[in-house]
């Protein structure tokens, strides 16, 4: 285990690291708060350490009720703690953390409070980084001076970390939480948890658009699935289309089509609803260098084949940053990251 992570384990040994016990489990306990009521007291109670015991200076913002600690070396350690004054007079305290380190591949684990995964970041099977991320929420009992863990996360609409891998960036300014969704060991997309005075409401981040080029010699763009035709395009990779979602083989697309040969934009017109659709059989994409077709939409999914610049795949389903595709030649189906698809065959997409 690397030195920087070992140091953190000495400081907060009760939290564990990459063994069998996950941090989100050990944090799910009632703790006593000594002294006054503030961010320093809450952090000391939760992590059982005093501010002067950290190897690097943490951030304690007493005015805004915010704590942050980050250390990076061979691995990295990040902690956030914030608290909110609820409408009912109680204080809601949340601790968020993320730790990672290099090591051997381990079995993924997840709960409503966090996740653990091993990501392969290189070509060798030994190129493994272990990542754990999670959070815990507490209500402060003023009379008993206790931080009491909540039975369920105070987030309305947040997808369960069993299905998505999150790190919460707690606010130093403002009330809302930024939700960083990890899609690989070094890539994330961001959403928002908006404070409503008692809990938080989940707000989806920007829609992920997956790009494909037109492969059909006569591709019809319609107002609805199998509806009125408003535009017909030829294939041979001359046009790139961005897809929002897919339903029963039909793709809802962006209202702008990109002409790859001339570099012009074609703005679609004729739909009263502003929606435009094209059948998935008219679209395709190539791979980029190092692209992998996986059995499941996550970085731990079994690799079925490499998707190269000579591989043509057809879209089947879009789930966040993952796209389910079918290899036109082998008929294999699997998942690939959207960013690993090349939507313009007239370039190398390197």
């Amino acid at each position: 285990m690397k030195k920087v992570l070992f140091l953190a384990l000495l400081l907060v040994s009760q939290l564990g690291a990459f063994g069998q016990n996950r941090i989100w489990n050990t944090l799910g306990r009632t703790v006593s708060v000594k002294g006054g009521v503030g961010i320093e007291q809450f952090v000391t109670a939760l992590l059982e350490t005093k501010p002067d015991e950290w190897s690097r200076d943490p951030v304690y913002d007493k005015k805004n009720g915010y704590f942050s600690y980050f250390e990076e070396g061979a691995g990295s350690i990040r902690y956030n703690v914030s608290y909110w004054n609820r409408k009912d007079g109680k204080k809601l305290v949340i601790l968020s953390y993320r730790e990672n380190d290099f090591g051997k591949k381990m079995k993924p684990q997840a709960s409503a409070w966090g996740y653990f995964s091993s990501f392969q970041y290189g070509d060798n099977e030994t190129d493994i980084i272990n990542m754990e991320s999670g959070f815990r929420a507490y209500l402060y009992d003023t009379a008993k001076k206790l931080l009491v863990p909540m039975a369920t996360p105070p987030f309305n609409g947040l997808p369960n970390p069993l299905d998505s891998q999150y790190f919460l960036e707690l606010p130093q300014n403002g009330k809302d939480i930024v939700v960083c969704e990890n899609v690989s060991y070094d890539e994330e997309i961001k959403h928002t948890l908006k404070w409503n005075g008692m809990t938080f409401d989940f707000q989806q981040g920007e829609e992920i658009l997956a790009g494909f080029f037109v492969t059909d010699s006569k591709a019809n763009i319609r107002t609805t699935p199998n509806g009125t035709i408003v535009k017909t395009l030829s294939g041979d990779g001359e046009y790139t289309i961005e897809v929002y979602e897919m339903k029963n083989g039909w793709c809802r697309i962006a209202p702008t089509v990109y002409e790859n040969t001339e570099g012009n934009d074609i703005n679609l017109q004729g739909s009263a609803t502003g929606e435009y659709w094209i059948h998935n059989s008219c679209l395709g994409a190539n791979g980029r260098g190092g692209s992998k077709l996986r059995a499941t939409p996550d970085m731990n999914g079994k690799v079925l084949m490499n998707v190269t610049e000579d591989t043509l795949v057809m879209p089947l389903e879009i789930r966040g940053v993952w796209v389910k595709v079918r290899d036109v030649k082998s008929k294999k189906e699997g998942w690939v990251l959207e960013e690993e698809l090349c939507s313009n065959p007239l370039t190398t997409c390197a």
Side-chain angles (χ1 to χ4, degrees), residues 154-165:
F155 307 137
N156 306 313
L158 176 69
N160 196 311
L162 283 167
D163 303 313
S164 300
Q165 301 170 346

Side-chain angles (χ1 to χ4, degrees), residues 78-81 94-98 134-135 167-170:
R78 183 188 298 273
Y79 294 108
N80 279 170
V81 180
I94 297 179
L95 181 151
S96 177
Y97 69 90
R98 177 163 58 190
F135 59 92
F167 171 69
L168 306 183
E169 290 186 352
L170 306 183

Side-chain angles (χ1 to χ4, degrees), residues 100-237:
N100 56 49
D101 188 30
F102 300 96
K104 64 180 182 179
K105 192 168 186 177
M106 300 177 67
K107 183 178 180 180
Q109 299 179 37
S111 79
W113 297 103
Y115 76 94
F116 169 83
S117 288
S118 293
F119 295 108
Q120 183 173 334
Y121 62 89
D123 294 331
N124 299 321
E125 292 185 359
T126 56
D127 294 336
I128 300 297
I129 187 168
N130 295 316
M131 179 183 293
E132 179 174 350
S133 179
F135 59 92
R136 275 288 178 174
Y138 308 81
L139 290 179
Y140 179 64
D141 187 324
T142 305
K144 297 181 180 180
K145 296 185 177 180
L146 297 175
L147 284 172
V148 181
M150 300 183 73
T152 57
F155 307 137
N156 306 313
L158 176 69
N160 196 311
L162 283 167
D163 303 313
S164 300
Q165 301 170 346
Y166 296 131
F167 171 69
L168 306 183
E169 290 186 352
L170 306 183
Q172 183 171 2
N173 298 299
K175 300 290 185 180
D176 301 336
I177 297 172
V178 174
V179 182
C180 300
E181 181 180 1
N182 292 317
V183 295
S184 70
Y185 80 95
D186 64 352
E187 183 189 3
E188 62 189 18
I189 55 176
K190 294 189 176 182
H191 314 284
T192 303
L193 285 166
K194 190 150 187 80
W195 175 244
N196 62 25
M198 291 289 289
T199 57
F200 297 84
D201 299 316
F202 180 71
Q203 295 183 349
Q204 183 78 27
E206 287 188 17
E207 289 186 276
I208 302 298
L209 280 71
F212 299 91
F213 54 83
V214 175
T215 59
D216 200 294
S217 59
K218 188 178 180 181
N220 294 321
I221 298 176
R222 303 170 184 267
T223 55
T224 60
N226 217 23
T228 303
I229 298 173
V230 295
K231 187 74 175 178
T232 300
L233 302 174
S234 62
D236 301 324

Side-chain angles (χ1 to χ4, degrees), residues 53-95:
E53 292 177 343
W54 294 83
S55 63
R56 293 188 181 181
D57 291 336
V59 174
Y60 280 97
D61 187 336
K62 297 180 182 179
K63 179 181 178 181
N64 293 302
Y66 171 82
F67 162 86
S68 176
Y69 179 79
F70 176 71
E71 186 163 346
E72 186 172 26
S76 67
I77 312 153
R78 183 188 298 273
Y79 294 108
N80 279 170
V81 180
S82 291
Y83 72 90
W84 293 256
N85 295 310
R86 302 202 325 177
K87 292 178 180 179
D88 61 0
K90 297 180 180 179
K91 295 186 185 299
L92 170 62
V93 181
I94 297 179
L95 181 151

Side-chain angles (χ1 to χ4, degrees), residues 287-303:
R288 298 174 186 263
S291 302
K292 308 290 184 183
L293 186 73
R294 299 180 182 272
T296 55
D298 61 79
M299 294 301 290
N300 294 303
K302 179 182 178 181
V303 176

Side-chain angles (χ1 to χ4, degrees), residues 15-36:
L15 298 183
F18 298 125
Q20 296 301 311
N21 294 320
R22 301 271 68 89
I23 295 176
W24 62 72
N25 291 326
T26 56
L27 285 172
R29 68 197 190 287
T30 299
V31 295
S32 175
V33 178
K34 298 180 180 179

